[in-house]
Amino acid sequence: MDRALKHIVTVIVAGVAISSPHLAGARDLERSLEQVEVKARRPLREIGVTLTRIDSAALHMSPAQSMADVLAYNSAIFVKSYGRASLSTVSFRGTSASHTTVSWNGLPVNSPMLGMTDFSTIPSNFVDRADLLHGSSSLSENSGGLGGAIRLSTIAADSESGFSARYTQGVGSYSTFDEYLQLSYGGEKVSTSTRIAVASSANDFHFINRDKKENVLDPDGQIISQYNPRETNRSGAFCDINAMQEVKVDMSNRDRLTFSAWATRSRRELPLLTTDYASIGAFENVRHETTLRAVATWTHIAGSLRTTARGGYIYSSLAYDYSRELSPEVMAQLTRSRSRVQTLLGQVSAEMFSADRRWLFSGGLTLRQHFVKSSDRTATDADMLSTAYNVGQAELSFDASVKWQPVSRLGLSVMLREDLHRDTWSAPIPAFMADYTMTSDRTLSIHASVAHNYHYPSLNDLYFMPGGNPSLKSEHGWSYDAGLSWAKTLSSKLTLSASTTWFDSRINNWILWLPTVKGFFSPRNVKTVHAYGLELNAAAFWLPAPKWQVKVDSHYSWTPSVNVGEPMSPADRSVGRQLPYIPRNSASLTATLGYGPWSLTYQWCHYSRRYTMSSSDITISGSLPSYFMSNIALERKIEIPVADMAVKVLINNMFDEEYLSVLSRPMPGINFEVFLSISPRW
Amino acid sequence: MKLICRLSATAMICATMLSVPGCMKWEHGEGLHAFDAGDGVLIGCEGNFQYGNATLSFYDPMTRDVDNEVFLKANGMKLGDVVQSITIDPDGSRAWIIVNNSHVAFAIDTRTFLEKGRITGLPSPRYMHIISPTKAYITQLWSNSIIIVNPSNYSTVGYMTVPDMLPAIGSTERMLSLGGYVYVACWSYQDRLLRIDPDDDSITATLTVAPQPRSMVADYKGRIWLLCDGAYPGQRGDARLQCVDPETMEIVADYTFRPTATPSSLCTDPSGRLLYWIDGDVWEMSVDETSLPVTPLIASRGTLYFSLYVNPASGEIYLADAIDYQQPGIIYRYTPDGQLTDQFYVGVNPSSFGWTGR
């Protein structure tokens, strides 16, 4: 066990070891108690499921954070981030970013072109509930989540809660400005919620460039010494605008209609590498995105039968422009990439409990149709030089499951999915799950599952020009997991919970994009990967004294993800080695200390060394050392006659650590942001 | 008292958490290494695009010792993103390392590997060709211009624009000197061979060849051989090997490869009588032959040959295997008649070579 691991265990034990009694707390803290209850008394539809539910307080900690930040500090899944407002992907259980499926209010939001989701584009304030479904548990949502699934959802205003409003403004380092407005109305039958977020920053932080040296020359032009320059992050500015509208209509006691629409418009510059010697005025490297996601869901409840129909639409337009100065005053547009993606979703599902509520039968049908037009057109009028694809692809999926609780302590679940992808039916995708409550007070339970899963190639994998490979096979494999959960309310003042899950999966036909001798990349099915490991969670909620609250939530995962395929040649040293950019150890912790209107939140995360080579070589140029990251936030709530206000000071990277998440991508040192929130009383 | 104890416990927990930060141990530039290398082969390893993990290795054929990451060890900084080529000064004193996506050309001492100077702000440099101590050309991708530099003071002197070439799909690639002219193959999306007069930097002749001439050598008869991809990206077309008479600027021999062939890395032996290239296996052909060979010189052994180099001093063949493009590649050293004599690991995607013998 290395030093980092010892630190992690110390923190987790410290988090769990809190003891003593007393009292209920604020609304957010009460929600975390609910979370513990869910784990202890597992609903029938969650039999055997390994679920991490992100606390709502973590989701709404600040308008400056994206879901990538929330996941980094509130789970042990690996977040690979190129920096704020830059590509941030996540991977569960040692799998790749495209092996995590993501849905928002039931609408799948993975890019059909890339297969993955950029979590830096999802403001955490636009999510009210985030569930992480680990491994085979993701099959309850859809197929493709070889690592897991993330289920994001929003909650319109509570019924009959009346009007409410909240406005938050943040001002921070590097000319960063965050604005967030939420207007809600909860009526007897109709509830609405409107959210608007605007974030912008020059993002021009300074850093010591350890990858470069500047020369000091003598009068003859000879180098007499060198030093690491202090540089400014170049081409990192961004402006993101997000708006969301939700409407919930309770048409009757049995029928509910919800509608959500979320629009995004962003302009993000792509920062230069730390090894780039270009001059600042000589290039443009920028990405524009316009996206609309809309979903309507109708739910009808008739006795024990619940029927849901859902329709959704996604429009996404992405533009990437890269221009450079070729010679003085001559700029050339080297890349002009455009893509337009439209996705239509139709879904019906039903579930029915038996009269004794020991059986739950469910089934569903999902149809998705993608229309993708992608071009990577150089600035020329010669059509033959345009590389593009324009395809439509339909995906159909059936699922059926039976869940049974023969005795109150035992739950069994069988699920079967069948997918139609590119005119070919997949083999049936089965999943078996079970859990058993070991103690009469339901504090201790075990769960296990076994499942087969498929991940289909993305449209870029198949059709990208040049390099797309239409003959790619789907990635697939069996996965197994088993775990133990414990949760106990020791007194009215102290609740503790902990869980651990072992998992093991083998993924065949792993897809990698590799160079070709013709100078471009092309995807191939090249590897078999054995991903296995352990996940640990521990949480505590403690009210040590009147007005005092302590909450600790910690996560740790050990995720060997090893290439076990055949060597590509006699010299291949990748077999038996950890996959690139998958840390073996990940951990996070969020602790909150509250006293009356004050609260102090500490966030911490750790990733162990990440290799960038398939052979796991530790070379200076080719691996990323482990790092720890710490943030802290101090908040003071202020009540005035006409409004509730709050002032929050957030310090990111509080120990001013120099670190890298991705090779050659600079990250900011210590930085600050101050937020002022106001919620008028109507 | 009980309350104090509880608050103390809380404070201790917070203190524990705050003590955990640690820090990333930055693994750069510690303990610079003083090299004193003899004659040998510099090997440029591209690394992976956008990783910034290009490296430079040095191999001594006499002792069979290999040193990896010599640029970083000597200078305490990274080489950059995608090493494209290595050019050695005519007197062997300096090696020019062209780092394409770092937009820089580093000049290093061939004995100590210490930086002697650099030319920065290069839009998309590919190859450097030294014409005199004060003049060199640097070709570019995605550009219709060739950069003129002064190697003696590491400065950019000017640009030479290729007529009728759209900048965004422009490409100038390999260069060689012959008969007082510099010949330039125009590769990506291009199909031309240029003849340049280095005295006034003017293009004096052009020849249309097969699409995408990627590598170019001269034989003992003073003829130019071009290995062409045969098609532009997204199009179909068979690779071609073409021979050009530089005086008349005419194609005098033209060989078409089988449809599935993807030949690359055209080289000659030191005498200029033999051609070598990679096409799955390693192939050898006399420049006086009239047809492509049917039997390879060195057969693939499940290897992924990425680049090929013939030592101008010994005629030995150095074959780079990129393996899976994500791990340190391996170099196989063969005698001119194809006998394996050594093998060693270098950096990721080894693709360029330079002989430092003086």
Side-chain angles (χ1 to χ4, degrees):
Chain A
M1 189 181 290
D2 59 28
R3 189 174 65 86
L5 192 53
K6 286 178 183 170
H7 276 305
I8 295 157
V9 172
T10 304
V11 171
I12 290 175
V13 170
V16 177
I18 308 163
S19 62
S20 214
H22 220 25
L23 215 60
R27 186 179 163 203
D28 289 339
L29 300 177
E30 286 172 354
R31 285 189 182 177
S32 76
L33 281 174
E34 287 170 13
Q35 170 189 337
V36 171
E37 290 300 314
V38 167
K39 287 188 175 177
R41 298 174 187 171
R42 193 181 298 275
L44 203 51
R45 63 172 63 89
E46 289 182 0
I47 282 175
V49 167
T50 305
L51 172 78
T52 300
R53 181 158 294 157
I54 305 290
D55 191 276
S56 60
L59 289 167
H60 299 157
M61 184 175 164
S62 101
Q65 67 178 7
S66 68
M67 277 307 298
D69 304 313
V70 171
L71 295 171
Y73 292 103
N74 295 277
S75 74
I77 62 178
F78 172 54
V79 179
K80 181 182 173 186
S81 171
Y82 286 69
R84 189 179 175 193
S86 295
L87 180 65
S88 299
T89 56
V90 306
S91 58
F92 271 96
R93 294 185 168 183
T95 59
S96 77
S98 62
H99 296 155
T100 300
T101 59
V102 184
S103 66
W104 171 76
N105 286 338
L107 184 66
V109 294
N110 290 62
S111 163
M113 289 177 64
L114 303 171
M116 60 188 182
T117 304
D118 181 356
F119 284 85
S120 75
T121 63
I122 305 175
S124 66
N125 264 336
F126 276 40
V127 177
D128 296 319
R129 186 162 161 163
D131 292 336
L132 277 54
L133 296 155
H134 300 246
S136 53
S137 303
S138 68
L139 282 167
S140 61
E141 290 291 297
N142 45 39
S143 61
L146 299 176
I150 296 180
R151 188 169 58 199
L152 308 174
S153 51
T154 54
I155 300 169
D158 295 334
S159 296
E160 301 186 53
S161 58
F163 283 104
S164 64
R166 181 157 63 101
Y167 172 68
T168 304
Q169 185 175 55
V171 179
S173 306
Y174 325 125
S175 306
T176 300
F177 301 96
D178 289 286
E179 315 271 346
Y180 177 72
L181 174 67
Q182 181 167 358
L183 302 170
S184 303
Y185 168 74
E188 185 181 351
K189 288 186 177 295
V190 178
S191 301
T192 72
S193 175
T194 305
R195 308 178 204 208
I196 299 170
V198 180
S200 66
S201 176
N203 203 18
D204 53 352
F205 58 86
H206 300 293
F207 64 101
I208 303 296
N209 191 338
R210 307 287 178 185
D211 294 339
K212 272 187 190 174
K213 282 189 174 175
E214 287 295 321
N215 293 333
V216 178
L217 306 176
D218 67 11
D220 297 328
Q222 302 299 311
I223 298 170
I224 53 176
S225 69
Q226 295 180 310
Y227 63 94
N228 293 113
R230 185 170 188 264
E231 293 193 342
T232 301
N233 185 43
R234 295 182 291 173
S235 180
F238 64 87
C239 180
D240 292 350
I241 302 171
N242 285 275
M244 183 187 293
Q245 179 64 53
E246 294 170 274
V247 180
K248 180 183 76 178
V249 182
D250 289 319
M251 300 156 72
S252 68
N253 288 337
R254 295 180 167 188
D255 294 278
R256 170 177 287 182
L257 181 65
T258 58
F259 172 77
S260 309
W262 167 22
T264 300
R265 192 172 179 86
S266 78
R267 180 190 186 279
R268 294 178 168 192
E269 295 177 349
L270 281 72
L272 295 186
L273 299 176
T274 52
T275 54
D276 199 317
Y277 290 83
S279 53
I280 183 66
F283 73 98
E284 179 193 42
N285 200 14
V286 65
R287 178 180 180 273
H288 292 87
E289 177 180 354
T290 302
T291 295
L292 171 69
R293 302 174 179 93
V295 59
T297 305
W298 169 70
T299 306
H300 174 74
I301 297 172
S304 59
L305 176 66
R306 176 193 179 101
T307 312
T308 303
R310 177 174 289 129
Y313 173 71
I314 300 176
Y315 169 87
S316 186
S317 169
L318 296 172
Y320 169 60
D321 292 299
Y322 176 51
S323 303
R324 258 188 195 278
E325 186 181 49
L326 298 179
S327 54
E329 300 180 5
V330 178
M331 289 289 285
Q333 191 172 37
L334 305 183
T335 303
R336 184 177 178 274
S337 173
R338 298 287 182 272
S339 65
R340 190 181 65 201
V341 181
Q342 295 183 85
T343 299
L344 293 168
L345 170 83
Q347 187 178 61
V348 290
S349 62
E351 62 178 29
M352 188 176 75
F353 283 94
S354 63
D356 60 1
R357 298 190 74 80
R358 289 188 178 278
W359 291 85
L360 174 63
F361 304 92
S362 60
L365 183 153
T366 303
L367 174 63
R368 275 200 294 172
Q369 173 71 48
H370 304 293
F371 301 97
V372 175
K373 186 172 184 179
S374 168
S375 66
D376 189 0
R377 187 182 174 90
T378 49
T380 171
D381 56 1
D383 286 340
M384 72 169 191
L385 302 175
S386 169
T387 54
Y389 70 89
N390 187 359
V391 298
Q393 180 169 289
E395 299 169 5
L396 184 64
S397 177
F398 293 96
D399 67 273
S401 71
V402 179
K403 295 175 171 59
W404 181 38
Q405 207 165 17
V407 293
S408 63
R409 289 191 180 188
L410 177 66
L412 300 170
S413 167
V414 179
M415 189 187 309
L416 198 65
R417 301 190 77 94
E418 182 91 50
D419 294 340
L420 177 65
H421 188 265
R422 296 175 70 207
D423 303 325
T424 304
W425 286 100
S426 69
I429 301 171
F432 307 95
M433 300 180 185
D435 60 28
Y436 181 72
T437 304
M438 301 179 73
T439 54
S440 58
D441 62 356
R442 297 179 179 275
T443 55
L444 185 64
S445 64
I446 57 173
H447 63 271
S449 72
V450 53
H452 194 228
N453 204 344
Y454 281 84
H455 177 259
Y456 306 100
S458 70
L459 294 177
N460 271 7
D461 289 338
L462 296 168
Y463 305 114
F464 190 79
M465 289 290 288
N469 181 357
S471 60
L472 274 182
K473 298 172 187 168
S474 300
E475 299 166 295
H476 67 94
W478 285 92
S479 64
Y480 312 86
D481 65 30
L484 198 62
S485 298
W486 174 81
K488 191 167 182 67
T489 302
L490 297 177
S491 72
S492 59
K493 293 181 180 177
L494 179 66
T495 301
L496 299 176
S497 66
S499 67
T500 178
T501 302
W502 163 86
F503 61 90
D504 192 307
S505 64
R506 280 179 189 269
I507 301 165
N508 301 303
N509 295 332
W510 189 282
I511 296 172
L512 280 182
W513 281 72
L514 299 173
T516 65
V517 292
K518 291 201 168 185
F520 52 78
F521 283 65
S522 182
R524 287 158 51 193
N525 298 105
V526 291
K527 286 184 177 171
T528 299
V529 172
H530 183 201
Y532 60 98
L534 201 63
E535 295 168 331
L536 293 169
N537 302 317
F541 177 65
W542 180 34
L543 300 168
K547 294 188 178 180
W548 286 90
Q549 301 153 359
V550 177
K551 187 167 65 166
V552 179
D553 189 19
S554 56
H555 305 265
Y556 166 72
S557 66
W558 175 61
T559 53
S561 187
V562 178
N563 172 24
V564 292
E566 292 295 317
M568 298 183 76
S569 73
D572 187 355
R573 297 189 292 183
S574 69
V575 177
R577 304 296 172 88
Q578 182 80 356
L579 294 190
Y581 273 114
I582 303 289
R584 278 184 174 250
N585 298 291
S586 309
S588 71
L589 179 144
T590 296
T592 302
L593 176 66
Y595 174 72
W598 291 90
S599 69
L600 181 69
T601 302
Y602 175 72
Q603 296 179 314
W604 173 90
C605 77
H606 162 74
Y607 297 123
S608 64
R609 179 180 294 277
R610 286 130 295 140
Y611 305 105
T612 66
M613 293 188 237
S614 60
S615 52
S616 298
D617 279 69
I618 300 177
T619 63
I620 300 170
S621 305
S623 71
L624 294 160
S626 64
Y627 72 86
F628 300 92
M629 188 49 46
S630 299
N631 301 335
I632 198 161
L634 179 65
E635 183 176 23
R636 171 74 160 90
K637 290 177 179 162
I638 304 163
E639 292 185 7
I640 59 174
V642 296
D644 292 327
M645 300 180 68
V647 178
K648 179 180 279 188
V649 178
L650 179 64
I651 305 174
N652 295 312
N653 190 2
M654 62 184 287
F655 297 105
D656 198 22
E657 184 170 359
E658 287 185 78
Y659 73 107
L660 288 176
S661 176
V662 179
L663 267 184
S664 306
R665 303 287 176 174
M667 298 297 271
I670 187 169
N671 61 92
F672 308 87
E673 191 157 6
V674 179
F675 299 94
L676 177 65
S677 297
I678 183 165
S679 301
R681 293 179 185 159
W682 304 104
Chain B
M1 187 62 192
K2 202 172 176 182
L3 175 62
I4 293 171
C5 289
R6 287 173 188 159
L7 294 178
S8 301
T10 306
M12 285 175 65
I13 292 160
C14 294
T16 304
M17 292 186 296
L18 293 174
S19 69
V20 177
C23 60
M24 188 180 103
K25 187 172 178 291
W26 206 282
E27 297 172 342
H28 289 181
E30 294 170 0
L32 300 183
H33 192 96
F35 288 97
D36 184 17
D39 293 351
V41 182
L42 279 173
I43 302 160
C45 304
E46 287 182 11
N48 302 104
F49 181 60
Q50 295 277 322
Y51 276 45
N53 63 341
T55 59
L56 190 67
S57 298
F58 178 77
Y59 175 70
D60 186 331
M62 294 295 290
T63 63
R64 301 191 175 194
D65 290 335
V66 62
D67 261 312
N68 293 323
E69 297 189 279
V70 293
F71 182 88
L72 190 146
K73 290 174 182 172
N75 297 286
M77 62 177 162
K78 282 188 175 179
L79 186 53
D81 193 40
V82 187
V83 164
Q84 178 59 41
S85 63
I86 297 172
T87 299
I88 309 291
D89 269 348
D91 66 0
S93 62
R94 290 180 304 181
W96 290 85
I97 318 297
I98 308 294
V99 192
N100 175 262
N101 201 40
S102 287
H103 316 286
V104 66
F106 284 112
I108 60 168
D109 187 292
T110 51
R111 296 293 179 248
T112 64
F113 311 128
L114 284 170
E115 182 188 353
K116 303 284 283 181
R118 67 181 75 164
I119 302 173
T120 61
L122 302 172
S124 184
R126 299 286 288 181
Y127 292 88
M128 184 170 181
H129 185 71
I130 296 169
I131 294 156
S132 73
T134 57
K135 182 186 270 193
Y137 293 154
I138 295 177
T139 53
Q140 300 192 85
L141 184 63
W142 311 123
S143 170
N144 64 344
S145 65
I146 296 169
I147 303 169
I148 306 166
V149 298
N150 183 342
S152 66
N153 63 9
Y154 310 101
S155 65
T156 299
V157 176
Y159 299 84
M160 193 187 333
T161 301
V162 180
D164 304 320
M165 182 182 278
L166 293 169
I169 54 164
S171 163
T172 48
E173 187 80 352
R174 298 276 191 168
M175 293 173 280
L176 58 81
S177 287
L178 215 54
Y181 293 103
V182 175
Y183 293 85
V184 181
C186 304
W187 168 57
S188 178
Y189 289 107
Q190 303 296 324
D191 58 0
R192 281 189 288 175
L193 177 67
L194 310 178
R195 182 166 68 194
I196 295 172
D197 183 343
D199 291 337
D200 59 4
D201 306 319
S202 64
I203 296 171
T204 60
T206 65
L207 172 67
T208 300
V209 297
Q212 302 209 152
R214 191 168 188 177
S215 42
M216 177 171 67
V217 294
D219 67 15
Y220 77 102
K221 294 179 177 174
R223 299 178 303 178
I224 294 171
W225 290 83
L226 295 163
L227 191 55
C228 308
D229 294 341
Y232 306 115
Q235 291 190 323
R236 290 171 182 268
D238 298 335
R240 309 258 284 274
L241 177 66
Q242 295 185 318
C243 181
V244 174
D245 181 336
E247 290 188 4
T248 61
M249 286 294 271
E250 290 178 345
I251 296 170
V252 294
D254 190 349
Y255 306 101
T256 302
F257 289 83
R258 69 189 189 286
T260 55
T262 53
S264 62
S265 294
L266 183 67
C267 294
T268 60
D269 71 334
S271 71
R273 292 178 182 276
L274 294 173
L275 299 174
Y276 300 96
W277 67 85
I278 298 170
D279 180 15
D281 310 306
V282 176
W283 301 80
E284 179 193 69
M285 173 184 162
S286 165
V287 297
D288 298 318
E289 287 287 341
T290 55
S291 63
L292 294 173
V294 293
T295 306
L297 174 67
I298 302 167
S300 169
R301 299 173 290 122
T303 43
L304 187 65
Y305 294 139
F306 190 60
S307 60
L308 181 151
Y309 168 74
V310 178
N311 187 332
S314 65
E316 289 179 305
I317 300 165
Y318 289 74
L319 257 177
D321 180 357
I323 307 176
D324 65 357
Y325 303 99
Q326 284 193 308
Q327 61 181 292
I330 190 168
I331 305 292
Y332 298 105
R333 175 185 170 194
Y334 287 89
T335 60
D337 59 355
Q339 301 302 310
L340 182 66
T341 58
D342 196 12
Q343 60 186 55
F344 49 93
Y345 286 95
V346 287
V348 177
N349 295 335
S351 63
S352 51
F353 299 81
W355 172 247
T356 66
R358 296 183 178 179

